[in-house]
Amino acid sequence: MTRSFKFIAKCPPGCQDVKYRVYGTDIYASFSSVCSAAIHSGAIDNTGGKILVQKVAGHAGYRGSFSNGVRSLSLPRWRESFLVSEGKPRKGVTYPSTLEFASSKSTAVKPEPKKPEQDLKVTKSAATSDTSGKAWEQGDTVRKVYQTSPVPMPTTQMAATTPTPTTTTTDPFSTTPKPTTTPATTRTTTDSAAAKPRPGLQRVRDTGQVQASQGRGLNKAFRGTSTSASNRNILRPNAGAQQQPGGSLQAPPQTPRAGAAWHTSTEPLLSSVSPGFASKEELNLKPLEATSQGNPSCKVDLSFLMDGSWSIGKRRFQLQKQFLINVAHALGINNAGPLMGIVQYGDDPSTEFNLKTYASPKELRNAIEKIPQKGGLSNVGKALSFVNKNFFSDANGNRGGAPNVVVVMVDGWPTDRVEEASRLARESGINIFFVTIEAAAQNEKQNVIEPNFVDKAVCRTNGFYSITVPSWFSLHKVVQPLVKRVCDIDRLVCSKTCLNSADIGFVIDGSSSVGTGNFRTVLQFVANISKEFEISDTDTRIGAIQYTYEQRLEFSFDKYSTKQDVLSAIKRINYWSGGTSTGAAISYASEQLFTKSKPNKRKIMILITDGRSYDDVRMPALTAHQNGVIAYSIGVAWAAQDELEAIATDPDKEHSFFVDEFDNLYQFVNPLIQNICTEFNSQPRN
């Protein structure tokens, strides 16, 4: 268990001028820059000063944010953390010796182009509660310089607050609304991919009448083949709705359609959505009151795919717009919290407005009210591909570390296939939610071209990502349940992080010079790295190769899909013994592992060797780099430094490591994970 202690630190002026890495908000991962974190938290400004630092336990997630001119990054989890606050001594409280943070240059504080993380050094006294005398490890940014005797802590302790994890954000966008233009939609003559009954007809729910569609196959065209009693529920919509005094609509009693699949989520709020709705239930067309304004714990980038197909009809299209207005109010759209854009789909998708166009519920309401209906089919798969390729970009206001969320509104069922488009979107880190209104009844399911399309589209098939609503007239009941789920950032499993978005291949030297005992130490090192990642068939995957003169595939990326299976497989690897042909091993890894890597995964090779190779390593390494493999080299004992640098991806000093003895390999676990995450967070979104 991590033991808590505090110390006073003195930060120099100018820390904000150097771009040191900071991970978290209010509570920071232990390898963050202490002084930059202090500025970010508001404990000091760029003039420096004394701060109180408290070491605390690691956390499952650190959210990034932009505060006081410092941008912090997100991190899924880390073993140790710290809090910072003003370092003003309190009367009667005894503190340990002051730690002085000094610039590595005696002149002006300037960033070094290669290693900005090492610009600060820390002189640190003993922890007040840590009697072991062990230095507090902060990666490359902190090192122990001297130590004094422990100082007893006062009985009054600083409260450690744990914020709700969210995600990284950049500078707030302007709140100035921008004019929105709706691209003209070219209506093409397209038959539905599914065999729709009577494709020349269109179901117009507002009147309950069947109208000709001028020869075009329209969306979900007439979900029945007759107007008999058995199909009245298909043509019934709103035929019995009556205008009430005061302008509200009163819906007639309804009975759920036979075979309709009602949502059975365990969410307490969602239990209010019943199959159908009670008689004389009035539709409240007024926007809901906002439950949160600019909620910083719900920092998500949100895109709604709005169903503009002809099957909805004008009245239900208006209900859909009112629902989106209510969601915007309930979320509290704001640059400090969630941002929202809308894409409308029919035959083709088009962006109504992007993430940075509007930054308040009032602005969004005015914009949503002006959206005209596109018409056409319900091509959801096409819309998901459009969003994946175009919507979440920096130019459209994407905030980098903030989770990307898509909520698909679909009337009944899509008219194209969604599985492949959804998979690519999920692998790009997009969390997909489906809100299905008036899903196909049992006698309509033969018209659905992709059965179970929701389960094929969402991130997990546990019901969290899907909501089924029996009627457009009860859509307003799911505003709060949807907002609750979208803001539950810990469960947005499709968000890509540095720990869940890679294919990692270990290339292990099994030559005679290693020896059986040292080889087991190497395997423990491989296991310690692997267990830091989120391993599954859709998250990070692990593969391993052992080499001597020859090469052996121990297991491929698709062999094991759980962390426990991977760790067990590593433990079972048998020591081979032989020569050292590292170049051939790199080529073998490129062919046997990384050619089978998934397109949206980062390809990472971690090579461990203890000696100079008998063959050339430069050309195989160069070929791997050109094929997108990020290579880390770890040398032990007699490994050649020039070969380690040739194997490593540039800058090689950040991707190559050397240690004198096998027993010290464990020291590189944290720096290696830190480098992988730092590199991930610095890359632009694909």
Side-chain angles (χ1 to χ4, degrees):
M1 183 176 69
T2 302
R3 308 177 81 173
S4 177
F5 63 81
K6 301 179 184 178
F7 58 87
I8 294 287
K10 184 176 181 181
C11 294
C15 289
Q16 187 176 338
D17 302 331
V18 188
K19 302 304 179 184
Y20 300 116
R21 294 282 184 183
V22 178
Y23 293 85
T25 300
D26 296 331
I27 186 166
Y28 302 94
S30 63
F31 56 84
S32 300
S33 166
V34 173
C35 292
S36 294
I39 296 175
H40 181 271
S41 69
I44 59 171
D45 56 25
N46 201 33
T47 60
K50 289 185 178 182
I51 55 173
L52 179 64
V53 184
Q54 180 184 14
K55 178 185 175 184
V56 293
H59 279 256
Y62 300 84
R63 64 182 178 90
S65 63
F66 184 86
S67 178
N68 301 317
V70 176
R71 178 191 176 193
S72 68
L73 302 174
S74 293
L75 190 71
R77 66 175 182 270
W78 196 247
R79 296 175 179 175
E80 294 180 313
S81 313
F82 66 90
L83 302 165
V84 287
S85 59
E86 292 186 49
K88 296 179 180 178
R90 298 180 182 177
K91 186 176 181 180
V93 178
T94 302
Y95 292 98
S97 303
T98 299
L99 313 182
E100 293 188 2
F101 287 68
S103 171
S104 59
K105 295 184 179 181
S106 59
T107 56
V109 180
K110 295 181 181 179
E112 292 183 6
K114 277 261 183 173
K115 294 186 177 179
E117 293 287 44
Q118 296 181 357
D119 280 1
L120 283 183
K121 60 184 179 181
V122 183
T123 58
K124 185 165 72 73
S125 66
T128 58
S129 298
D130 191 348
T131 58
S132 67
K134 182 179 179 182
W136 174 26
E137 172 258 321
Q138 280 197 48
D140 288 336
T141 52
V142 176
R143 72 167 184 256
K144 184 177 180 181
V145 178
Y146 68 88
Q147 191 173 51
T148 61
S149 300
V151 178
M153 282 299 296
T155 56
T156 304
Q157 297 289 336
M158 184 196 327
T161 58
T162 304
T164 303
T166 56
T167 48
T168 307
T169 179
T170 58
D171 300 270
F173 300 108
S174 170
T175 58
T176 306
K178 300 180 181 180
T180 302
T181 57
T182 304
T185 303
T186 304
R187 298 176 183 172
T188 56
T189 304
T190 307
D191 292 331
S192 170
K196 297 276 184 177
R198 301 178 65 179
L201 298 179
Q202 170 196 341
R203 177 171 64 124
V204 182
R205 301 181 185 172
D206 289 325
T207 61
Q209 297 175 352
V210 179
Q211 298 179 348
S213 63
Q214 301 178 354
R216 290 185 297 136
L218 296 178
N219 181 26
K220 292 178 286 297
F222 185 50
R223 292 186 185 172
T225 56
S226 71
T227 57
S228 64
S230 63
N231 284 333
R232 281 174 190 165
N233 278 336
I234 301 173
L235 297 177
R236 58 141 172 82
N238 219 32
Q242 301 176 359
Q243 187 75 20
Q244 300 296 317
S248 64
L249 291 174
Q250 189 175 49
Q254 293 193 19
T255 302
R257 291 174 291 187
W262 307 119
H263 186 75
T264 58
S265 170
T266 58
E267 294 277 0
L269 288 173
L270 195 55
S271 62
S272 62
V273 183
S274 59
F277 48 86
S279 62
K280 300 187 179 181
E281 176 187 20
E282 292 189 0
L283 298 177
N284 182 10
L285 299 182
K286 296 180 180 180
L288 299 179
E289 292 297 324
T291 59
S292 61
Q293 293 295 332
N295 184 1
S297 66
C298 183
K299 193 166 291 183
V300 296
D301 289 343
L302 178 64
S303 172
F304 272 86
L305 291 189
M306 186 180 188
D307 192 338
S309 61
W310 290 125
S311 73
I312 296 179
K314 293 182 179 179
R315 182 170 298 169
R316 286 164 178 77
F317 188 74
Q318 293 299 319
L319 291 174
Q320 182 178 205
K321 291 201 295 184
Q322 188 60 60
F323 172 78
L324 296 178
I325 291 170
N326 291 346
V327 169
H329 276 265
L331 283 168
I333 297 299
N334 190 283
N335 281 324
L339 293 177
M340 175 176 163
I342 291 180
V343 171
Q344 185 183 173
Y345 69 92
D347 290 330
D348 296 293
S350 60
T351 301
E352 299 294 345
F353 51 84
N354 61 38
L355 294 168
K356 67 179 182 180
T357 309
Y358 304 108
S360 74
K362 183 177 180 180
E363 293 173 346
L364 278 166
R365 176 178 183 172
N366 294 335
I368 292 170
E369 288 177 343
K370 297 175 183 177
I371 295 176
Q373 186 176 2
K374 289 172 61 70
L377 300 170
S378 287
N379 289 332
V380 174
K382 199 171 186 179
L384 284 169
S385 295
F386 174 86
V387 168
N388 186 26
K389 295 176 182 177
N390 302 291
F391 188 85
F392 294 107
S393 66
D394 293 343
N396 288 337
N398 183 59
R399 292 177 288 183
N404 295 154
V405 177
V406 168
V407 179
V408 182
M409 308 287 296
V410 59
D411 173 57
W413 61 86
T415 53
D416 64 349
R417 296 187 177 274
V418 304
E419 184 175 10
E420 181 65 12
S422 299
R423 181 184 65 80
L424 293 174
R426 293 196 309 270
E427 291 184 356
S428 295
I430 297 174
N431 296 276
I432 302 174
F433 287 76
F434 260 71
V435 178
T436 307
I437 305 96
E438 298 187 13
Q442 194 64 39
N443 61 346
E444 299 172 344
K445 288 185 176 179
Q446 72 271 13
N447 302 326
V448 181
I449 66 172
E450 193 173 30
N452 302 318
F453 64 90
V454 172
D455 285 348
K456 294 176 181 179
V458 297
C459 296
R460 294 288 187 271
T461 58
N462 56 7
F464 178 77
Y465 289 89
S466 58
I467 296 177
T468 302
V469 187
S471 165
W472 282 95
F473 294 92
S474 50
L475 184 60
H476 63 281
K477 294 182 179 180
V478 302
V479 171
Q480 294 298 341
L482 178 62
V483 168
K484 180 181 178 182
R485 297 182 189 198
V486 166
C487 291
D488 193 351
I489 294 173
D490 289 341
R491 297 183 66 181
L492 299 183
V493 295
C494 283
S495 299
K496 286 205 304 185
T497 71
C498 59
L499 300 181
N500 70 7
S501 58
D503 282 342
I504 301 176
F506 290 95
V507 181
I508 305 168
D509 184 349
S511 61
S512 302
S513 59
V514 175
T516 303
N518 289 333
F519 188 76
R520 305 316 300 178
T521 302
V522 170
L523 293 184
Q524 186 60 56
F525 173 69
V526 171
N528 288 342
I529 293 173
S530 300
K531 69 183 181 181
E532 294 295 333
F533 289 87
E534 299 169 18
I535 297 173
S536 76
D537 55 351
T538 57
D539 296 316
T540 289
R541 304 185 303 170
I542 305 291
I545 287 171
Q546 186 182 175
Y547 74 95
T548 57
Y549 284 125
E550 300 176 289
Q551 307 84 36
R552 183 168 72 198
L553 178 63
E554 300 293 352
F555 54 90
S556 59
F557 291 137
D558 57 1
K559 181 69 173 178
Y560 303 109
S561 59
T562 70
K563 184 177 295 187
Q564 188 56 52
D565 287 345
V566 167
L567 296 178
S568 297
I570 293 171
K571 187 177 181 179
R572 292 195 301 268
I573 295 176
N574 292 317
Y575 177 46
W576 202 356
S577 185
T580 309
S581 295
T582 306
I586 295 172
S587 297
Y588 184 83
S590 296
E591 296 167 2
Q592 297 298 318
L593 280 179
F594 294 109
T595 57
K596 299 171 184 177
S597 185
K598 290 186 177 181
N600 292 322
K601 297 291 185 182
R602 298 172 73 232
K603 296 182 283 189
I604 298 176
M605 179 178 71
I606 300 175
L607 184 144
I608 307 111
T609 183
D610 80 326
R612 182 174 289 278
S613 177
Y614 294 163
D615 60 358
D616 175 62
V617 301
R618 288 167 177 78
M619 287 308 298
L622 179 61
T623 301
H625 299 163
Q626 291 173 344
N627 289 330
V629 176
I630 302 169
Y632 289 86
S633 59
I634 300 171
V636 187
W638 301 279
Q641 187 65 36
D642 60 325
E643 289 186 348
L644 295 177
E645 293 177 358
I647 294 168
T649 296
D650 288 332
D652 53 66
K653 293 189 182 300
E654 296 179 8
H655 294 82
S656 64
F657 304 87
F658 179 83
V659 66
D660 291 333
E661 298 178 358
F662 284 94
D663 288 341
N664 292 327
L665 273 173
Y666 74 93
Q667 298 176 359
F668 290 138
V669 173
N670 288 347
L672 186 62
I673 302 296
Q674 176 189 345
N675 283 4
I676 289 173
C677 286
T678 298
E679 190 171 52
F680 176 87
N681 286 323
S682 65
Q683 296 299 313
R685 181 179 171 81
N686 294 332

